[in-house]
Amino acid sequence: MEFHIILCFLFVALTAVSSEDDGQVVFVKELSSKPAQKLSRYGWFGSARLQRFVIPEDAAVARWRFTVTKGHSFPGFCGEHNVTIHIRWGAPPVVNPVGQMFPNDTAWSPAHSLHLPVTSQATATFNLSDPSPGDWYVAAHLPRDDGRIEQKGFPSCSYYFQPQLSIRRAVDTPILQPTSGLPQAAAPDRPARLKLFVPEFVSSLSVSLTDCHSQTDPGEGACPLVLRLGSASALKEGLVTVNCSTNGCSVTLLAPPWHTWLRVVVESNRDNHTVTFNVSSNYTVSCKPQSVGLSPDIVATHGNDSDGNATLAGNRTAAAEGDPPGERPAAGAPSPGCVWDVPVLAEELDVLSVRFSPASGPNVSVARSNPTLLSYPLHTLTSGGTLSLQLTLNTTSASLGNSSSVAACLSPWAPVLGLSGSQPCQTALFPGYRLHVNSSSPKAVIRLPFPQAATWYLSLQLTCNSECGNVSVVSVVPEVSVSACVEDCGTYGECRLLRSNTYLYAACVCKAGWSGWGCTDGSAALSYGRQVTATLLLTLSNLLFLPAIVVAARRCYVTEASVYLFTLFFSTFYHACDQPGVAVMCIMDYDTLQFCDFLGSVCSIWVTLLCMARVRDTLKYTLFVLGALLIAMSMQLDRRGLWNMLGPVLCAVLALVIAWVYRGVRRRHCYPPSWRRWLMYLVPGLLCALVGVCVYIFAETEDNYLYTHSVWHVLVALSVVFLLPPRERSREAWGWSRGWAGSWSPRVCGYTLCHGSKEELYTVS
């Protein structure tokens, strides 16, 4: 058995080898698929279905295949809908399809988006050459939620989304060593693929193509090659392309990504032209810091400054590689290009919550001559939160002039050094985020929702337009942290932790009409008066159960009156606790209030219908208790399920019909016999119940919920008043008029209670 399995694996591996193998690079195919998920209309980020894929190193081509299938429903009921698909590398996409407002000081970049129209089934593909290795995230959702409240269990439009990923990977990519040329050949259908490793502290990297010759036309002097460095994300970031037109070409990257493999792809841009060439690379390390914070003499060389919080990074590369002692720069005067490296302590506080702080204290020294560098490693588990940076100038240590400021650049993968000039806050492959603090604006804040899982670098440097005067070193306080949501979603939002398989991420769900990524967009917010109105309508409308309680008690239906009182109490306080704004009052746990409200509502319908059936007391109370227990069980299983209400109603209606038909056949007359009973009680009660159910199921939306649900309360309470049957003759003797301790006592006939044989004849129903 094991031998056959091994043969199968060998067969798959051999068939996966591409037929376009050029003899140098072998390709294999890898497939991955995710289970189908039901899509939802977009209301907040939790409405989007998120999936995570992992693309390995040396992947040449990645192809996603997205399939959207419409669920079974009535023909023509759903029509055509557009499914939006977002793709991003390194972190989940920041989805904002309705143009909602972001909190202040929030920076975000849009993801690559696809729009897929769906009638019954649709398929879309997305191809990406030379994709960046690592985590890729795919999010899909339907158009914006229209606010209609759909009752669970009723027919509705359902769409299912399933992504699949196919990868073509090179398994033996040649490694390009620095300062050593490597002969290669490239054809239109067989590009040359190489990779090189970029260590830390590299300031510039160059890749050159020389000795370019066309095998098809040796006399041609041109070099029809295209050189690409890096890997592509969905928005084509992280990729540099150069067209070679002469005998050779080269490209230089300033601030390339540190401690990573960089992809080099060379291809011919002419048909039927195979070109040979030599490729070489070289990089420059302007400054490699020493081990800071370990040796006391290193700290002493740069005299702990006024705050004692920064240490000198060390010597430049030439000194590290063996420069003569006389040419080495002094420890107190760092050579140009060096940085002050500050150790950073990472403290994990909670899920999606990390706080970074300088190991030597909150204050960090910043000079004009040399930048200060802090590094913040973010792992995959923290990319589902929000990265926040607050930079504060310490004005007590030194005062800056009007023309002086501290420039900061927060960038992933590699730092940006030399901020004193006009150099932009951007590395060779990825953009950064620039901040400034000065005497007039001593604080700067930036927030990045869903930051990429990489090492982020904060570069700080003192800049002066003219002269800095006597100020050479200032102190700033960088506060960097990762939290689940921006400002904990504010007053009108709730931060919720979401999960996609094993990946955790967070988003804000807003209430009271507030919207936006951090629930800070109050353009459609509910006023305080409207919030109070909603609370009063939804709570005071339950007082319409008081007439039902009084009528039930006067007719000696004490058990039914108790159920109505239970429903009145818990429905009132549940809706007082369920309000989205600040006009909220919760007397106990929200889940308990909701359970009791749902249980009381269904039990009220159950006991009313059984009371109308006029069954014997023993059977009626048995059904009361048994039904309440079964309803409580179903509420615990699925609180909002359709059959929680429909099941008890159908059973009670069935018992009611059987009892009424039995009496009608026995009497040979329609039951109830009185037309006044039908015209003045039963028909109005049934109409109230029917209209209330229609409003509850078909008319409720998020905007009119306070009105429609209040109408539902009123109509249900009125229907109970109309539908409750009149008092039974056997109960009149101990009703309210004679008191609870009246003179009535049952007659005992042997071991059973006797009852009048003419009870059925004299009962008026």
Side-chain angles (χ1 to χ4, degrees), residues 346-360:
E347 181 182 2
E348 295 185 3
L349 303 177
D350 201 348
V351 179
L352 293 180
S353 181
V354 182
R355 181 173 59 194
F356 298 93
S357 58
S360 53

Side-chain angles (χ1 to χ4, degrees), residues 327-350:
E327 298 182 4
R328 296 184 183 181
S335 61
C338 288
V339 296
W340 295 3
D341 186 76
V342 179
V344 175
L345 175 65
E347 181 182 2
E348 295 185 3
L349 303 177
D350 201 348

Side-chain angles (χ1 to χ4, degrees), residues 612 660 672 677-687 722-723:
M612 294 171 61
W660 283 12
R677 178 70 183 165
W678 282 97
L679 183 61
M680 301 183 65
Y681 295 98
L682 294 181
V683 173
L686 292 175
L687 287 178
F722 284 110
L723 294 178

